[in-house]
Amino acid sequence: MKNTSYLKIFLFILLFSNSFYAQSNYITLNTLLGDKSNRLLNSNNFGKNIQRQNLDLSISKEFSLPKNQNYKVELFSSLSDSRGLHFYQLGFKISKKEKYFFSIGKIADGNFYLPKNTSGSMLFSNNYEPIPEIKLGIDNIKISKKLRFSALFSNGILDKNDDFYERPYLHHKYLFFDLGNFEEKKYFSFGLHHAAVWGGATTIYNYGDLGRTLEDLYYVVFAKHGNSVNINGPQGNHLGILHFSYRFTNKYDNYIYYQKFWEDGNSLNKYYGPIWDGLYGYNYKDENKSITIEYLKTTFQSGNIHPPGIDSFYWHIPYTFGWEYKNYTIGNFQISKDSNRVESIYLDFSQKLNEKFELSLILNVINRYSISYQDKGWNEEIDLSTDSYITYKMAKVRLDFQDKRKSNLSYFIDSGLDIFLKEKNIACNVGVTYSFNFSP
């Protein structure tokens, strides 16, 4: 869609905005000083590139239907010039009693069941620009006093690229259960995410058309071998996570969690290694501060011989563009298709100093291993005798403060430091945000 079309849609939303109650509306202007490739400044930012100057304009609206207050409609629109003027959010969501929902469009909703200041879910994070999707879901449906569940079914569409002349699709579903005392916020959670990139048409290995019918979608949903596609394995690239967590609240909120990532089933069925691959985390939160510490490990991937090993996280044939959208990792930013064997520590600390000032700090140390698992032969062992790693050290400090005279004005200073071998990358992002509301 051309920029002029984007502007027409945005102006349409703006024109009718006085009819709705609006929330989360803001304009942000920022200037970058230093190296614009700074890693932490460009991560978990919905796929937006930090440039020398940036403009972000976001309008979200929420209103109930006049004849039925049980139904709520939310509109989302976020405009950025980070890669040319475009919407990185644009869509709507209809929900009933905040239990059942249906949505269409590009709507950010990553890091499901994770704290706000996480490094990112291993499957869907806030690192990438939202993908156009149709979603149908339910939230927190009670089976009994101590048991509830949430579920989602969705299908989206990705972009063409050098290897795909027809756009592939993205299927996603999850099922989560909570068990415990919800009033006291003491409960266990268990969930399964399943995602699959499927369909499209490619020049890779002369696969050609990879399917686009409802029958093809059926094979994808149930991870079955398709009849119309000549691929050795289930139709599509299948990946997902098993999620385990425990929340307990005494005076303050505590959250312990673990995500087990799986790729094409092998890493789901086999638990090898002295420490399982996955994301381990703990979050503490009170009224004024939040602390998250995470350990990420993806070095084993079921072993160095296939089968069952060499799971090739975030990489697949024929979808060799990997688990990415617009060149940004869809899952945790510390992993990529070209560097998928890592071990890292991530610390995020935020403190509200007073009513006007808030300070946040991120420290991140990543060991990137020289051998990355990608293509694999049958019963061929990958020699790890020369395997080594390079350590990346990163830090980010951000200060947010409110204007004393105008409460709808706020400012921020966001500084990042990358250290790789003897090289240092320093950048500082300075900006101002103007928040506004529309009258009903």
Side-chain angles (χ1 to χ4, degrees), residues 21 33 88 93 105 169 171 192 269 279 308 313 397 423 431-432:
Y21 172 73
L33 307 173
Y88 65 91
K93 179 179 179 181
Y169 302 102
H171 167 68
L192 171 65
N269 298 326
L279 178 70
F313 288 0
V397 179
E423 298 181 3
V432 56

Side-chain angles (χ1 to χ4, degrees), residues 375-412:
D375 203 1
K376 51 205 172 193
W378 202 260
N379 292 323
E380 292 183 9
E381 184 177 0
I382 291 181
D383 183 8
L384 296 178
S385 62
T386 60
D387 194 24
S388 60
Y389 62 81
I390 296 175
T391 300
Y392 292 75
K393 299 176 182 179
M394 292 171 282
K396 187 175 85 163
V397 179
R398 178 178 174 121
L399 180 65
D400 292 91
F401 51 98
Q402 293 281 339
D403 191 294
K404 293 182 178 180
R405 296 164 297 178
K406 297 183 178 180
S407 59
N408 57 350
L409 274 180
S410 62
Y411 311 91
F412 64 86

Side-chain angles (χ1 to χ4, degrees), residues 18 80 97 99 106 126 138 145 161 187 228 285 287 292-293 331 367 373 390 428:
N18 286 329
S80 174
K97 297 181 179 179
K99 297 291 185 181
K106 301 168 61 173
N126 288 331
I138 53 180
K145 185 177 180 180
N161 56 48
Y187 55 89
S228 61
K285 184 171 65 174
E287 294 181 356
T292 296
I293 183 167
N367 290 336
Y373 288 162
I390 296 175
C428 182

Side-chain angles (χ1 to χ4, degrees), residues 320-332:
T320 53
F321 53 85
W323 192 234
E324 294 184 356
Y325 183 60
K326 298 186 183 298
N327 299 317
Y328 275 80
T329 296
I330 297 174
N332 192 288

